[in-house]
Amino acid sequence: MGTTLKDIAEYCGVSSATVSMIINGKSGRISDDTIRRVEDAVRHLGYTPNIAARSMVTKQSKTIGLTIPDISDYFFSELAKGVGDEADEHGYDLLIGNTGSKLDKEKEYIQVFQGRSVDGIIFAPLNSCEENDLFQGLQKKHYPFVTIERYIKDQVPGVFMKNFQGAYDLTRLMIEKGHRKIAFITGPLCTASASQRLSGYKAACRSMNIAVDEQLIFSGDFSYESGNRVGMEFFDERECTATAILASNNRMALGFYEEILSHGLSVPEDLSIAGIGGARFYPVLNPKITTIDMPIYDLGREAAKLLFHLLKGEEIKKRAVEFNLNVLDQGSIRDLNTLR
Amino acid sequence: MGTTLKDIAEYCGVSSATVSMIINGKSGRISDDTIRRVEDAVRHLGYTPNIAARSMVTKQSKTIGLTIPDISDYFFSELAKGVGDEADEHGYDLLIGNTGSKLDKEKEYIQVFQGRSVDGIIFAPLNSCEENDLFQGLQKKHYPFVTIERYIKDQVPGVFMKNFQGAYDLTRLMIEKGHRKIAFITGPLCTASASQRLSGYKAACRSMNIAVDEQLIFSGDFSYESGNRVGMEFFDERECTATAILASNNRMALGFYEEILSHGLSVPEDLSIAGIGGARFYPVLNPKITTIDMPIYDLGREAAKLLFHLLKGEEIKKRAVEFNLNVLDQGSIRDLNTLR
DNA sequence: ATGAAAGCGCTAACAC
DNA sequence: GTGTTAGCGCTTTCAT
């Protein structure tokens, strides 16, 4: 199809080795004249290097692989953007594997990635007991990879958000504003992030001498709909006397918020609400939801940075990069101390 | 690194040609015994074909390229999901090029894609006069590609949404509900979709003998913030007597909605609002925004389908696939006919 | 029913 | 300074 090195070489009357060196910037000992002629020819003939051929000899493809559960989820597309931008700056391209949260798909992509000789892999969330084998296999092969928000034993390089601390801080804020009965909506507890957030909530309660009441813990799955569902359950149970709701992510918080409004109640006058981040949502609402700010884009970038360190064979000082999470108070938690 | 064809061949005491045929299902004239032995060895040794090597000889990479302006935008990530799922079903992988809406980035990705011998390319929106050259170049090289929502002369294969018709229908609905002064917020008019939506709006007005009032047309850029900004302008101009707002997409509609609420007004009692789709938004609001339902995922899938037809060299009956758009009335438009 | 050999486009080592 | 050569892992004739 396209122009090859050989075409350029013949056109210039030099060998393809010479052209190769020039193209790869290893023109140390090549005459300026030749360099110019070759460069002209490259432009003239419109040469594009064949990456496959190059990969075969260099053993690297300048590509990194990324597996994510769902690219249409804002969390993961924002993450992918961070990874992609960082890769781009290093002259790498990105192959994305959409797993649909299925472990066998993830395994499949590992094969695909290897077949395509990607230089390294980044794995975003998905959790199962089988995973350790997966990662151990890669480690044994010395295949560089980085995980995002996946806590696993024998810690491999990874980037994380301080989910526990974020949940803890937000819960503390609610308590400090005078709430003693705070309902919690969990995410899918098989994921590390959801279970850590739950732990943070519980720890904060205990730290303020509030007994954790299992009746106040509702289980969701990070979806908007599960926020709705919990909202309906909540209002059905007459005896539920919570004054505030904390959702493990913002999507669920929004789902719950909808139920509050559709019951003709107001936030925060009748009920306070907060969410632990992880989904973009357009403000609109008044008040907006008090939340935990999550640096998703940076998380992706940092994961890629870590991978590139690995690829350069650099000694990694810290195999785990952790991100602090900050509370963003937007007025959806009522301050009970001010009434009297 | 990994196991090669040759490894398998030696292990089984056959030639690599034989193994190759078996792996590629061209085992027509190979003894069942050999087949079984090879297949066992493949499993045992954990063979993964080297795609780069294969591509070199077959001249195809089983990869398609997709350029999008912003992967973290729901429209494009949903689109990418559709493309990816369809690709997956055909045994293809997806290389995504994030252009940040920059034409030179898009050009760069064309190079990258060619270098990686992607079998075909799908281009999602971005618009400029330089584009025609770009596409003509590809066409001359007989490089298969498909566009999404890009109207260009000498129509290349592409998939489209009936933006004009969608805007037209939604505007008509507003008029039928008795609105005569309908403000419009445009998207960036350099994009085909935005300008078509504007045309649809104007045409609907004219069809009902309503003069198009340029004072009622505000320019936005598809962002939430521009919806806010237009909202502020709107309320600043005392003489603006519109009873309804139509935004060229939902993000802007939401931005405007926020301004309505923050002025202490209600939808649709004080002001009616609608948006022409293109962004996911969580319901929450009451009423939800009346909108145009957009089959974004399907659009992506259909684009990929079209590309695969091209790749198979099949005769394309229709080079343009168009999607009908339907109005989704959710109550944010007040019916002025019912009052007296 | 299977093997030998050529060649895809490129880079790297070593000659000259 | 530049050319020659070998080889990366695979598929594909063409022999046998």
Side-chain angles (χ1 to χ4, degrees):
Chain A
M1 200 113 160
T3 315
T4 72
L5 259 196
K6 217 171 119 207
D7 295 335
I8 308 271
E10 282 169 5
Y11 183 86
C12 295
V14 295
S15 85
S16 57
T18 307
V19 180
S20 169
M21 307 192 91
I22 294 177
I23 284 178
N24 292 297
K26 300 177 184 165
S27 44
R29 338 173 284 190
I30 293 179
S31 76
D32 287 357
D33 181 58
T34 317
I35 294 185
R36 213 172 9 74
R37 273 167 45 228
V38 168
E39 284 175 346
D40 285 351
V42 164
R43 254 188 304 279
H44 186 65
L45 269 41
Y47 171 73
T48 315
N50 180 321
I51 308 285
R54 179 180 287 172
S55 302
M56 283 197 61
V57 16
T58 63
K59 298 294 174 210
Q60 49 162 0
S61 59
K62 293 275 184 186
T63 309
I64 63 179
L66 169 69
T67 67
I68 47 179
D70 179 6
I71 192 180
S72 72
D73 180 321
Y74 173 69
F75 185 92
F76 297 111
S77 62
E78 182 73 14
L79 192 77
K81 189 176 177 182
V83 172
D85 286 355
E86 184 70 27
D88 194 50
E89 289 179 13
H90 288 255
Y92 276 65
D93 290 315
L94 188 60
L95 210 51
I96 296 183
N98 214 236
T99 65
S101 297
K102 289 194 271 301
L103 187 66
D104 51 339
K105 265 283 178 198
E106 187 168 60
K107 279 184 186 166
E108 194 185 310
Y109 276 114
I110 293 183
Q111 295 298 325
V112 170
F113 288 162
Q114 292 189 355
R116 295 182 178 274
S117 348
V118 305
D119 299 337
I121 306 180
I122 298 178
F123 294 98
L126 204 65
N127 269 270
S128 110
C129 44
E130 282 186 74
E131 279 187 333
N132 283 317
D133 298 5
L134 221 77
F135 293 137
Q136 278 169 17
L138 286 175
Q139 235 161 356
K140 210 172 299 167
K141 289 190 191 171
H142 299 289
Y143 214 104
F145 68 102
V146 166
T147 58
I148 295 179
E149 287 274 81
R150 286 173 107 146
Y151 292 77
I152 44 189
K153 68 161 190 262
D154 304 330
Q155 178 63 66
V156 295
V159 299
F160 307 92
M161 294 199 280
K162 293 190 177 169
N163 289 295
F164 177 93
Q165 169 250 316
Y168 185 92
D169 292 351
L170 190 48
T171 309
R172 285 285 295 225
L173 176 67
M174 297 178 112
I175 298 174
E176 279 153 16
K177 293 207 181 205
H179 295 272
R180 311 285 302 173
K181 284 188 154 258
I182 303 170
F184 187 87
I185 313 177
T186 71
L189 293 175
C190 55
T191 67
S193 39
S195 76
Q196 288 162 1
R197 291 173 194 178
L198 177 58
S199 304
Y201 156 80
K202 287 182 174 172
C205 288
R206 288 196 211 95
S207 77
M208 301 290 273
N209 292 316
I210 295 177
V212 172
D213 179 356
E214 293 292 336
Q215 301 286 357
L216 291 179
I217 298 180
F218 296 82
S219 68
D221 60 10
F222 278 159
S223 73
Y224 185 85
E225 290 69 27
S226 72
N228 281 154
R229 205 201 58 231
V230 170
M232 291 162 69
E233 286 174 27
F234 182 90
F235 290 111
D236 274 359
E237 296 180 23
R238 295 307 166 107
E239 68 273 22
C240 198
T241 55
T243 58
I245 314 294
L246 175 58
S248 193
N249 78 349
N250 284 333
R251 257 199 305 253
M252 296 192 296
L254 287 171
F256 196 101
Y257 204 132
E258 182 182 11
E259 294 303 316
I260 296 178
L261 296 183
S262 71
H263 277 76
L265 302 175
S266 323
V267 172
E269 290 73 15
D270 300 308
L271 206 49
S272 296
I273 188 164
I276 311 185
R280 164 153 62 184
F281 57 101
Y282 296 111
V284 189
L285 299 167
N286 187 5
K288 303 177 185 28
I289 293 182
T290 290
T291 187
I292 290 290
D293 199 26
M294 292 203 174
I296 307 175
Y297 177 84
D298 296 332
L299 193 72
R301 266 199 108 103
E302 205 56 48
K305 272 190 188 143
L306 198 54
L307 184 59
F308 285 121
H309 277 132
L310 249 40
L311 293 185
K312 289 195 201 114
E314 289 175 12
E315 202 49 56
I316 305 288
K317 327 133 264 271
K318 18 176 208 174
R319 299 175 65 78
V321 178
E322 292 197 292
F323 282 84
N324 284 318
L325 264 23
N326 298 312
V327 171
L328 191 64
D329 190 342
Q330 307 199 95
S332 67
I333 304 173
R334 185 177 186 188
D335 190 342
L336 301 178
N337 303 314
T338 62
L339 19 96
R340 165 45 299 250
Chain B
M1 200 116 159
T3 314
T4 72
L5 259 196
K6 217 171 118 206
D7 295 335
I8 308 272
E10 283 169 4
Y11 183 87
C12 296
V14 297
S15 85
S16 55
T18 307
V19 180
S20 170
M21 309 195 89
I22 294 175
I23 283 176
N24 292 296
K26 299 177 184 166
S27 44
R29 335 172 288 188
I30 292 178
S31 75
D32 287 356
D33 182 56
T34 315
I35 296 184
R36 213 171 8 74
R37 271 166 47 227
V38 168
E39 284 175 346
D40 285 351
V42 165
R43 251 188 306 279
H44 186 64
L45 269 41
Y47 171 73
T48 315
N50 179 322
I51 308 286
R54 180 180 288 171
S55 303
M56 284 197 59
V57 16
T58 61
K59 299 293 172 209
Q60 49 162 1
S61 60
K62 294 276 184 186
T63 310
I64 63 180
L66 169 68
T67 68
I68 46 178
D70 179 7
I71 192 181
S72 72
D73 180 322
Y74 173 68
F75 185 92
F76 298 111
S77 63
E78 182 73 14
L79 191 77
K81 188 176 176 180
V83 172
D85 286 355
E86 184 71 26
D88 194 51
E89 287 179 14
H90 288 255
Y92 276 65
D93 290 315
L94 187 59
L95 211 49
I96 296 183
N98 213 236
T99 65
S101 294
K102 290 192 273 301
L103 186 66
D104 53 338
K105 264 284 177 195
E106 188 169 59
K107 280 185 184 164
E108 193 186 310
Y109 275 115
I110 293 183
Q111 294 299 325
V112 171
F113 288 163
Q114 291 189 357
R116 293 180 179 275
S117 345
V118 304
D119 298 338
I121 306 181
I122 297 178
F123 293 99
L126 204 62
N127 269 271
S128 113
C129 44
E130 283 186 73
E131 279 188 332
N132 282 318
D133 299 4
L134 218 81
F135 292 138
Q136 277 169 19
L138 286 175
Q139 235 160 356
K140 211 173 298 166
K141 288 191 190 169
H142 298 289
Y143 214 106
F145 69 103
V146 166
T147 59
I148 294 180
E149 286 274 82
R150 285 171 107 146
Y151 291 77
I152 43 190
K153 68 162 192 261
D154 303 331
Q155 178 64 66
V156 297
V159 299
F160 306 92
M161 294 200 280
K162 293 191 176 168
N163 288 295
F164 178 93
Q165 168 250 315
Y168 184 93
D169 291 352
L170 190 47
T171 309
R172 286 284 297 223
L173 176 67
M174 296 178 114
I175 299 174
E176 279 154 15
K177 292 207 182 206
H179 296 271
R180 310 286 300 174
K181 285 186 156 259
I182 302 169
F184 188 85
I185 313 177
T186 71
L189 293 174
C190 55
T191 67
S193 38
S195 76
Q196 288 163 1
R197 289 173 195 178
L198 176 59
S199 305
Y201 157 79
K202 288 181 175 173
C205 289
R206 288 197 210 93
S207 77
M208 301 292 271
N209 292 318
I210 295 177
V212 172
D213 179 356
E214 293 293 336
Q215 302 286 357
L216 291 178
I217 298 180
F218 295 82
S219 69
D221 60 10
F222 277 161
S223 71
Y224 184 85
E225 289 71 24
S226 71
N228 281 155
R229 205 201 58 232
V230 170
M232 291 162 70
E233 287 174 27
F234 182 90
F235 289 111
D236 273 0
E237 298 179 24
R238 293 306 167 106
E239 67 275 27
C240 197
T241 54
T243 58
I245 314 293
L246 176 56
S248 194
N249 78 349
N250 284 332
R251 259 199 303 253
M252 296 192 296
L254 288 171
F256 197 101
Y257 204 133
E258 183 182 11
E259 294 302 316
I260 298 178
L261 296 183
S262 70
H263 277 77
L265 302 175
S266 325
V267 172
E269 289 74 14
D270 301 306
L271 206 49
S272 295
I273 188 164
I276 311 182
R280 165 152 59 184
F281 57 101
Y282 296 110
V284 187
L285 299 166
N286 187 8
K288 302 176 186 30
I289 293 183
T290 290
T291 188
I292 291 289
D293 199 25
M294 293 204 173
I296 307 176
Y297 178 84
D298 296 332
L299 193 72
R301 268 198 106 105
E302 206 55 49
K305 271 189 188 142
L306 199 53
L307 184 60
F308 285 121
H309 277 131
L310 250 39
L311 293 185
K312 288 195 203 113
E314 290 175 13
E315 203 49 58
I316 305 288
K317 328 130 263 275
K318 15 174 209 173
R319 298 175 65 77
V321 179
E322 292 196 291
F323 281 83
N324 284 318
L325 265 20
N326 298 311
V327 171
L328 191 64
D329 190 343
Q330 305 199 99
S332 67
I333 304 174
R334 185 177 184 188
D335 190 342
L336 301 177
N337 303 314
T338 62
L339 20 97
R340 169 357 11 183

